[in-house]
Amino acid sequence: MVSSLQSAPAPTRQADPPDLFRVAVEQFELAADILGLEDSMRQILTHCQREITVNFPVEMDDGSVQVFTGHRVQHNNGPGPTKGGIRYHQNVTLSEVKALAMLMTWKCAVVGLPYGGAKGGVTVNPKMLSQNELQNLTRRYVSDISPFIGPNQDIPAPDMNTNAQTMAWIMDTYSMNAGYSVPGVVTGKPLTLGGSEGRAEATGSGVVFAIEEAARAIGLNLEGATAAVQGFGNVGSVAALEMAKRGSKVVGISDWKGGVYNPAGLDVAALKEHTEATGSVTDFPGTDAISNDELLELPCDILIPAAIECQIHAGNAPRIQATIVAEGANGPTMPEADEILFDRGILVLPDIFCNAGGVTVSYFEWVQSLQWFPWSLEEVNSRLQQIMQKSFAAIYATAGEHQINMRTAALVKAIDRVADFTRLRGIFP
Ligand code: GLU
């Protein structure tokens, strides 16, 4: 039986989403051309080392059994253990997980972490499952991929629709099988279980550290600047709050259900309370209702797509009005749109740099877990800010040097680094 839990309606996304792995390879080739990368290296780096697919049964609350499909893909382990989140979504496909695993390799390389990239996903609409069913699903999926994960091998983390509780179940399942506690097997854990201060907010905070650097580079004052945010989850809500803290006016915010707009600026903290109470940003008093598509085209200085892939495409890129597009989400901009935005002089902060705050603080958490020695929030945030500053400067300089967009520049830096590891290590046997 094909489960209705796996075929619920998709959130807003361009009709017929493209093959995401093909898009990732297309972006790779642009940077590889600039580097003059040899064919053998292109072949190695455009393949994922391991693609694991598991079909596993889960006992549901009504006593029935449903079989779900999940994946864990490890793109490249040259720089170190592989690292990347696990997502639960009805649209998860192997192609998407492969693309995201590859992006994780570049993301870790761009910010200089000792990791290769991985990603996991289960094809399920988690909104249709109870907590108990979610726990059963998580524990069985992790049991099935457990020979391939571990603190020195592959370290999962939260992604779309997974959170600290999911990570706690993963840590416990892995530890029960090992016979002792292994906090280093997963990051994004609750604080009590060895999670890091600042991890939950890290992706959103990192996005705003990135925006600060970009604004400084182009002479835009964040105080009084306007911003629109697509997505009000873990990334979008923190980014919106941080922008407001810096004196920016957040004029539009949307989520899976729709969006709200107020040109005078939204009270982001109050909107967060409204969302917690009602489940969505929609119907927030004193605002105009807008669609997700309209949000992307709002007049504003900074646009933060922080929801899902394929949001900015050839169809709407000519109408984007922002000066800076800061990619909180993974893969929100299609290659054709990248070209249009670059030609129009819009500065795109690419996902592999802009949202790298999450995996960066995951790295801090992993180090703390391996050493059983927690850091303070101040230490986490100041190290995160330093890494975002240094990475921005390097990517911006590369973009200027080759007259290329920031995505290709970030990929040039990342691919060069991973290729170096590959060359130095050589091919075994
Ligand atoms: N899922 C997040 C990402 O896409 C975080 C990954 C991690 O912390 O390992 O970057």
Side-chain angles (χ1 to χ4, degrees), residues 23-45:
V23 171
V25 171
E26 218 175 283
Q27 290 169 341
F28 167 91
E29 295 291 355
L30 288 176
D33 287 346
I34 289 175
L35 282 167
L37 206 66
E38 63 273 27
D39 278 349
S40 54
M41 191 63 71
R42 287 181 198 235
Q43 267 195 59
I44 294 173
L45 298 182

Side-chain angles (χ1 to χ4, degrees), residues 83-85 104 107 119 155 157-159 187 199 330 355 358-359 362:
K83 186 85 189 81
M104 284 308 300
K107 192 183 294 188
K119 201 76 169 198
I155 306 132
D159 198 82
T187 59
R199 175 61 186 88
N330 287 318
N355 70 35
V359 71
S362 271

Side-chain angles (χ1 to χ4, degrees), residues 105-151:
T105 300
W106 312 141
K107 192 183 294 188
C108 293
V110 144
V111 287
L113 307 181
Y115 289 139
K119 201 76 169 198
V122 177
T123 312
V124 59
N125 180 355
K127 294 192 173 68
M128 311 287 281
L129 265 57
S130 70
Q131 274 296 96
N132 180 51
E133 290 167 338
L134 272 177
Q135 177 169 181
N136 289 348
L137 177 136
T138 303
R139 288 185 182 277
R140 181 55 196 253
Y141 165 66
V142 168
S143 298
D144 278 6
I145 63 166
S146 70
F148 306 100
I149 64 172

Side-chain angles (χ1 to χ4, degrees), residues 28-87:
F28 167 91
E29 295 291 355
L30 288 176
D33 287 346
I34 289 175
L35 282 167
L37 206 66
E38 63 273 27
D39 278 349
S40 54
M41 191 63 71
R42 287 181 198 235
Q43 267 195 59
I44 294 173
L45 298 182
T46 53
H47 284 83
C48 294
Q49 284 179 357
R50 280 185 174 159
E51 300 169 14
I52 301 144
T53 294
V54 291
N55 300 299
F56 55 94
V58 175
E59 201 171 310
M60 310 304 280
D61 289 346
D62 65 2
S64 68
V65 170
Q66 296 229 4
V67 174
F68 292 85
T69 299
H71 312 279
R72 183 74 186 169
V73 174
Q74 298 163 356
H75 170 255
N76 186 292
N77 65 3
T82 49
K83 186 85 189 81
I86 289 175
R87 62 172 53 182

